[in-house]
Amino acid sequence: MQRNRYFSTCILVLLCFNPRQLYAANTWSYHQENDRLNNQTYSVTVSPLPRRDLYDELKLEVICRDNALQVAIDADSLIASQGSKFELEYQIDKQAPVLIQMRTFPDSKRRGYTNDEAKRLIDAILTGQEAIFIRVKTMIREVLSGSIPLQDAAKPVQQILSDCGMSATSQADNAAVYRLTDFEREFNQLTSTQQQQVLDQLKKIIKEVK
């Protein structure tokens, strides 16, 4: 009887075990997983966890699925309701902080992702030497934060790019690209009068382009 209980307990532990917890323990790691919904393999690189005595439990996942890039964040605390937008700010080493929008997965309040900003964020990670510092604004107005070391990030992250048939964008080329998210961030920092002036100018430019 005791032996049967022992085996039952072992099976339960194995069923509940998440292998990513092991991969994310100490260093950036690359591995492949199987998507049970469509029976397709995809690749993922998982970051180490920040120091638990200093920060919240956060980890990044850099993913190539169906030849498309995605960056996901996994937290041990509530971020937002399922399928909801939230703000994430990241800072590479001592560079200027960058604010982006992410969205929680439809079935989770603790995991979020971005597709639109994935390549930009990956390129930023590859420029880092020390750490990426992350701040996440949650649904209860608290802030989750974590500093993730970048020492071992380059090789597994570049493998994700290779799986998706891409290569890293140089820092100079990346800085030269002005994105819609850059415009929105800077536009929101203007006064209402300045915003109207910008909109008037944009209206003229759009008419000229047409």
Side-chain angles (χ1 to χ4, degrees):
M1 180 67 70
Q2 291 180 349
R3 180 175 296 179
N4 290 337
R5 289 180 179 177
Y6 173 77
F7 284 120
S8 298
T9 302
C10 290
I11 292 173
L12 181 62
V13 169
L14 289 173
L15 290 173
C16 296
F17 176 68
N18 183 357
R20 294 191 187 182
Q21 294 175 351
L22 176 61
Y23 287 122
N26 298 311
T27 186
W28 290 80
S29 60
Y30 168 88
H31 57 284
Q32 294 186 330
E33 294 189 0
N34 185 59
D35 190 336
R36 296 180 181 177
L37 294 178
N38 54 26
N39 198 28
Q40 291 183 347
T41 300
Y42 66 96
S43 54
V44 56
T45 286
V46 183
S47 77
L49 294 170
R51 284 184 53 179
R52 295 187 180 183
D53 57 332
L54 297 177
Y55 300 108
D56 298 293
E57 187 171 315
L58 299 170
K59 65 173 178 283
L60 289 175
E61 298 173 4
V62 183
I63 302 164
C64 177
R65 189 197 306 264
D66 296 329
N67 291 320
L69 290 175
Q70 183 180 83
V71 174
I73 185 168
D74 199 331
D76 65 344
S77 302
L78 296 179
I79 297 177
S81 56
Q82 295 98 320
S84 298
K85 293 181 179 179
F86 64 93
E87 292 182 345
L88 178 142
E89 182 180 85
Y90 68 89
Q91 182 176 9
I92 306 294
D93 298 338
K94 296 182 180 179
Q95 300 176 24
V98 178
L99 185 66
I100 64 174
Q101 277 198 336
M102 301 185 78
R103 183 183 294 273
T104 50
F105 286 93
D107 59 349
S108 176
K109 296 181 180 180
R110 291 178 168 82
R111 296 188 72 236
Y113 70 95
T114 177
N115 297 331
D116 297 336
E117 296 288 344
K119 183 60 165 60
R120 183 186 186 187
L121 182 48
I122 291 169
D123 287 335
I125 289 173
L126 292 174
T127 67
Q129 299 295 324
E130 298 178 4
I132 175 172
F133 184 76
I134 298 172
R135 290 167 56 90
V136 181
K137 296 182 181 179
T138 71
M139 61 192 300
I140 55 176
R141 297 184 179 181
E142 289 188 355
V143 176
L144 304 176
S145 64
S147 180
I148 298 174
L150 294 175
Q151 284 83 354
D152 302 313
K155 185 175 180 179
V157 171
Q158 287 174 343
Q159 182 63 53
I160 296 294
L161 290 176
S162 178
D163 291 348
C164 276
M166 301 181 186
S167 58
T169 304
S170 68
Q171 194 168 5
D173 291 340
N174 197 44
V177 178
Y178 190 70
R179 296 173 172 79
L180 179 59
T181 52
D182 298 323
F183 170 78
E184 291 175 342
R185 182 175 63 254
E186 295 178 0
F187 183 79
N188 291 331
Q189 295 173 352
L190 301 176
T191 65
S192 57
T193 301
Q194 291 172 325
Q195 289 179 346
Q196 189 58 53
Q197 292 174 349
V198 171
L199 292 175
D200 291 340
Q201 292 296 321
L202 282 175
K203 186 177 180 181
K204 293 179 182 179
I205 294 172
I206 292 174
K207 286 183 177 180
E208 292 175 358
V209 172
K210 287 184 177 180

